[in-house]
Amino acid sequence: MQGGPDPDQEIIDVRMGAIKHKILILSGKGGVGKSTVAYLLSLALAKCQSSKVGVVDLDICGPSIPKLLGVENQPIIQTPYGWKPLVSPNGDIKVMSVASLLDSDKTSVIFRGPRKTGLIKRFLKDTFWGKLDFLICDTPPGTSDEHMSIVKLLKNAKPDGAVLVTTPQEVAMATMRKELNFCKKMGVTVLGLVENMSGLVCPCCKETTEIFPGSGVASLAESYGVPVLGSIPMDPMITECCESGRDPMENYPESPTVQSMMGISNHLISLINR
């Protein structure tokens, strides 16, 4: 006997209905800087047109968003309206993550699929997000329970689509093809690809040196008919901001990494508003 409609879905739809744009951040494999891109994109979007932005960290077993956004070791407060998300000192970005529900940053999260799904549902249903312009959903690498859960739960709220993050090496390209096929099967619009670690910014002269050969990302995007939103070089100064929870948009606005990220956010806004 099949079960009836999910009684929580209506509440999720109401919560998500107050948010204009829902964007998934995906990657085929780990180590490509997906969470860093989600973090930088949230800051860039907050800076563009003074947008109100939230980030939900769906990497249940490896959450990193609270540290990146400077809200590490702060507890989530339960209110009559639901969980109150943490607010980053950088861009006033709202943050929800399993890391903020743990007693210690050394606590391991050992969840099976159903429990992961239940927690993701609570992030959407029980968090008092309020009215936002953007909700960035930072997912774990690959195509697993978390991805299928968020796509299903957001279906009625009509998410704008996904931004896929990769690095230029062929080993990353191979897994990115699987991610693109996953999006096609699940009916998720691919907003575009972001090439991360496209070069290294010299801390002295600010010149960018390519460290990976080839143009695999551009070729991959062309073969699948999706746009390349932009390329992000590595800048040691931005890395330092990531480690300390500082805002690179304010501290290093002339960095090639920040300039690239602002260009990507503007490109993304033009795509979802057309």
Side-chain angles (χ1 to χ4, degrees):
M1 182 176 179
Q2 292 184 342
D6 186 345
D8 294 329
Q9 189 63 55
E10 184 176 354
I11 302 174
I12 292 172
D13 294 345
V14 171
R15 293 276 200 198
M16 294 297 103
I19 301 171
K20 292 180 183 178
H21 302 291
K22 281 75 66 176
I23 298 171
L24 309 179
I25 308 296
L26 308 177
S27 70
K29 67 185 297 296
V32 299
K34 170 191 51 57
S35 292
T36 301
V37 171
Y39 148 73
L40 291 173
L41 180 61
S42 68
L43 292 173
L45 289 171
K47 199 169 183 64
C48 291
Q49 305 167 4
S50 298
S51 298
K52 295 180 180 179
V53 181
V55 180
V56 56
D57 188 353
L58 302 180
D59 196 343
I60 305 301
C61 295
S64 56
I65 290 296
K67 180 176 180 61
L68 291 168
L69 282 167
V71 293
E72 194 176 23
N73 299 321
Q74 295 183 29
I76 296 295
I77 297 173
Q78 178 72 48
T79 76
Y81 305 101
W83 280 340
K84 182 180 179 182
L86 302 176
V87 179
S88 171
N90 306 325
D92 292 331
I93 295 166
K94 294 183 177 181
V95 181
M96 176 56 70
S97 171
V98 67
S100 304
L101 301 173
L102 301 175
D103 294 331
S104 167
D105 57 5
K106 298 180 179 63
T107 302
S108 298
V109 180
I110 307 173
F111 284 2
R112 292 185 182 275
R115 196 171 180 192
K116 288 183 181 179
T117 299
L119 184 58
I120 291 170
K121 181 184 287 189
R122 291 203 65 186
F123 284 164
L124 302 182
K125 178 179 75 75
D126 294 339
T127 303
F128 183 52
W129 292 105
K131 293 184 178 180
L132 296 176
D133 296 304
F134 297 94
L135 179 65
I136 305 299
C137 303
D138 180 34
T139 67
T143 53
S144 55
D145 294 318
E146 294 91 331
H147 304 84
M148 291 183 285
S149 297
I150 192 65
V151 170
K152 179 182 178 182
L153 293 169
L154 287 180
K155 184 176 181 180
N156 294 343
K158 296 180 173 57
D160 294 88
V163 172
L164 275 58
V165 180
T166 186
T167 50
Q169 313 101 300
E170 181 53 39
V171 66
M173 295 294 102
T175 53
M176 185 52 65
R177 293 183 184 94
K178 296 176 183 178
E179 200 75 32
L180 285 160
N181 290 329
F182 167 82
C183 290
K184 183 177 181 180
K185 289 181 180 179
M186 297 297 290
V188 177
T189 300
V190 177
L191 297 170
L193 306 184
V194 170
E195 182 183 78
N196 195 27
M197 306 182 197
S198 62
L200 178 64
V201 178
C202 175
C204 298
C205 67
K206 299 302 179 184
E207 291 292 327
T208 301
T209 303
E210 291 188 8
I211 54 178
F212 299 117
S215 56
V217 175
S219 299
L220 181 66
E222 184 178 0
S223 65
Y224 279 84
V226 297
V228 176
L229 296 176
S231 300
I232 308 172
M234 295 184 291
D235 186 339
M237 306 306 293
I238 304 305
T239 302
E240 188 274 330
C241 285
C242 294
E243 292 294 321
S244 61
R246 295 194 301 137
D247 187 348
M249 304 294 168
E250 295 294 332
N251 289 279
Y252 303 107
E254 301 304 319
S255 165
T257 300
V258 169
Q259 294 296 310
S260 295
M261 202 67 244
M262 292 302 296
I264 289 170
S265 66
N266 285 321
H267 192 176
L268 187 61
I269 290 172
S270 67
L271 284 173
I272 62 181
N273 286 333
R274 68 182 179 183

